[in-house]
Amino acid sequence: MSGRAGAVAGAAELVDDGRFLEILRRRVAIPTESQEPSRLPDLQRYLEEEIAPALSALGFSCRILPNPVPGGGPFLIAERHEGHHLPTLLTYGHGDVVRGIPEQWRAGLDPWRITVEGERWYGRGTADNKGQHAIVIEALGAVIAARGALGFNAKMLIETSEEIGSVGLDALLETEAAALSCDLLLASDGPRLERDKVDVKLGNRGAVAFDLTISLREGSRHSGHWGGVLEDPGVILAQALASITSPRGQILIPQWLPKAIPPKVKAALAGITVDPSDPSLKMPDDWGEPGLTVAEKMYGWTSFIVLAFLTGRPENPVNGVQPDARATCQIRHTADVDAEGFLPALRAHLDARGFHQVEITDRRANRFPAWRTDPENPWVERVLASVTRTMGTRPTLMPNSSGGLPSEIFARHLGCPVIWIPHSYGGCRQHGPDEHVLVPILREGLSIMAGLFWDIGESEGETA
């Protein structure tokens, strides 16, 4: 089998004959937890021992660069140049993962060792994001093997600090914009909307994280003597948090919300069913903004989440009125609101309700701006047509993902459209215990990307 069909079949065969599993086994075994400073050598090792050799074997020149921000992990920039007259494609991925938390995984599973159970491959990073950028690299290799060339110029950026807010990425692009200049950024991250249907996403929601703290005194005081007399920071902070939403999660700070979902976005989301692929995930209709569908809440609206809330020591409580309380919170938002106004609006909201004691600390390092590529951009239809050609059905076009990605950073520095094709699913348990990928989606992902890379490099006269 030759031509496009040969490239697609060759990519899928990597799963069938076990080669892709072995690639992923090696990469998952490197514990690239970017939240842990002690793992910085592992982040470097991942790029040096795994990514650079894989790309060098495909004819890419590779550079590993230190992070311009202290504490951030290194970057790898790779390039394969085939001709000044050819289009240039930039791909992206991240080699870091969230903490492994091995004690929370099911018996018999280890975050740093792939365990195969039927069509599931368990391991930290299998879905987010080692498996996905491995698909991209191997699909590039399949096209080179079938054609002898890509037919376009290819660049790749792998960072190792995405899970801590892509620390240093903005600064890197300021100095490396020329080296990374491209006609299109095409990358893979996040889950599909539906397990059995491909989707194409044009950006991402943004994320703003912040701490709410209240500190009233030094040390706790005997609860029998002082309870009911001294102010309780846990109660005050709980009341402050409760004022942000209704009892059923509707956000009550108008400045955090879009005026409306844009018509193009609303039309794209019409009729879309969100499939969590996990029977334990219940999505009651009355949670969140009234009158919106689940898809509109996830992809077209603002959400507010309390990530952590602490007063005292829950693992060892004492009979005392506590001195302080702290909560870490997060807002996810679309490109239709001004994120810079979120915390001033929160300050005004809390003050108006008497919560002057509650301090707000911006966790700016954990921010992602929102971004949405224009669906009318010609590259969008080219990508959709290629996926349709491979799969036989047209993929779902999503205005943006629900999660955070560095789309805006690339678009701002490089002036290119940004398109994401995810190769995971809603039940993959990324960021939690028992993270895994599904073999059918891996095969489809390799096929889709090989077909897409073939089509981008296709010249007149070539056939499938």
Side-chain angles (χ1 to χ4, degrees):
M1 193 180 298
S2 61
R4 186 184 195 274
V8 170
E13 189 178 343
L14 292 166
V15 173
D16 300 337
D17 64 17
R19 283 177 290 167
F20 194 81
L21 177 59
E22 291 310 307
I23 291 169
L24 211 48
R25 280 192 195 279
R26 294 196 313 269
R27 295 179 186 173
V28 166
I30 302 176
T32 51
E33 301 165 297
S34 54
Q35 304 96 333
E36 301 293 342
S38 63
R39 295 300 196 189
L40 276 172
D42 293 303
L43 301 179
Q44 183 80 18
R45 182 161 65 95
Y46 183 79
L47 299 182
E48 288 181 349
E49 297 181 7
E50 283 296 326
I51 304 305
L55 290 170
S56 296
L58 299 180
F60 284 76
S61 59
C62 300
R63 293 183 292 143
I64 296 177
L65 305 174
N67 198 303
V69 175
F75 296 89
L76 180 142
I77 295 177
E79 180 176 9
R80 177 186 166 110
H81 186 80
E82 296 191 1
H84 294 292
H85 62 292
L86 297 174
T88 298
L89 175 71
L90 173 65
T91 61
Y92 158 86
H94 63 91
D96 64 315
V97 298
V98 298
R99 290 183 177 90
I101 52 173
E103 68 278 4
Q104 295 184 20
W105 288 54
R106 176 166 56 79
L109 300 182
D110 182 335
W112 313 121
R113 185 186 70 247
I114 289 186
T115 300
V116 177
E117 293 185 358
E119 65 177 15
R120 295 188 176 195
W121 296 356
Y122 289 90
R124 178 62 83 221
T126 51
D128 189 16
N129 175 254
K130 293 177 179 180
Q132 301 213 40
H133 63 253
I135 285 174
V136 171
I137 294 171
E138 297 309 313
L140 288 168
V143 172
I144 293 171
R147 178 184 269 152
L150 289 171
F152 58 89
N153 301 314
K155 299 177 180 181
M156 175 168 275
L157 173 64
I158 301 291
E159 68 160 313
T160 58
S161 299
E162 194 270 350
E163 298 294 3
I164 53 173
S166 286
V167 172
L169 179 60
D170 208 334
L172 178 89
L173 283 167
E174 287 182 2
T175 59
E176 296 291 338
L180 294 170
S181 62
C182 62
D183 297 295
L184 169 69
L185 171 70
L186 180 67
S188 300
D189 202 346
R192 293 176 175 182
L193 183 67
E194 299 178 68
R195 169 177 167 159
D196 298 322
K197 187 172 183 182
V198 182
D199 61 48
V200 173
K201 295 183 170 74
L202 303 183
N204 56 278
R205 286 202 300 179
V208 173
F210 57 92
D211 290 337
L212 297 181
T213 56
I214 177 169
S215 183
L216 301 180
R217 64 189 69 89
E218 292 293 330
S220 63
R221 298 295 189 273
H222 192 290
S223 59
H225 300 319
W226 300 105
V229 178
L230 293 179
E231 291 175 299
D232 187 325
V235 170
I236 294 172
L237 186 54
Q239 296 286 342
L241 287 167
S243 78
I244 294 173
T245 75
S246 72
R248 295 303 295 163
Q250 180 184 9
I251 293 172
L252 302 178
I253 302 178
Q255 296 91 332
W256 289 8
L257 304 174
K259 299 295 183 185
I261 299 177
K264 283 184 181 179
V265 176
K266 199 170 186 67
L269 298 175
I272 285 178
T273 300
V274 176
D275 175 18
S277 299
D278 184 341
S280 70
L281 298 181
K282 307 298 182 184
M283 299 178 289
D285 292 337
D286 68 339
W287 182 260
E289 185 67 20
L292 300 184
T293 66
V294 171
E296 288 169 343
K297 293 174 187 177
M298 290 182 69
Y299 299 98
W301 206 248
T302 305
S303 65
F304 169 70
I305 302 293
V306 178
L307 302 179
F309 185 10
L310 180 68
T311 186
R313 297 182 61 181
E315 76 283 2
N316 188 23
V318 298
N319 292 325
V321 181
Q322 298 305 311
D324 49 38
R326 171 172 56 88
T328 298
C329 306
Q330 185 185 75
I331 304 167
R332 298 276 185 166
H333 64 94
T334 67
D336 309 304
V337 289
D338 177 15
E340 292 302 320
F342 285 172
L343 298 191
L346 176 60
R347 179 74 273 163
H349 174 89
L350 294 177
D351 288 348
R353 287 154 183 78
F355 298 116
H356 307 284
Q357 297 157 304
V358 177
E359 298 180 6
I360 304 170
T361 303
D362 187 354
R363 298 173 66 96
R364 188 164 284 272
N366 297 105
R367 282 198 179 196
F368 272 118
W371 179 259
R372 185 184 297 133
T373 294
D374 186 348
E376 303 298 324
N377 187 286
W379 276 107
V380 175
E381 182 53 38
R382 288 185 66 178
V383 169
L384 293 173
S386 175
V387 176
T388 303
R389 187 178 176 187
T390 300
M391 298 300 296
T393 57
R394 193 168 174 86
T396 302
L397 179 63
M398 298 296 296
N400 48 257
S401 72
S402 54
L405 294 166
S407 306
E408 185 272 347
I409 297 175
F410 288 112
R412 172 162 43 89
H413 285 286
L414 305 180
C416 62
V418 177
I419 299 177
W420 302 87
I421 304 180
H423 305 304
S424 184
Y425 79 116
C428 69
R429 303 206 174 183
Q430 65 185 96
H431 288 204
D434 305 349
E435 179 182 347
H436 62 275
V437 288
L438 298 179
V439 170
I441 293 180
L442 292 177
R443 291 189 84 261
E444 286 183 359
L446 284 158
S447 300
I448 289 164
M449 301 310 287
L452 183 49
F453 294 146
W454 183 278
D455 293 341
I456 291 173
E458 193 170 46
S459 62
E460 290 187 13
E462 279 187 319
T463 65

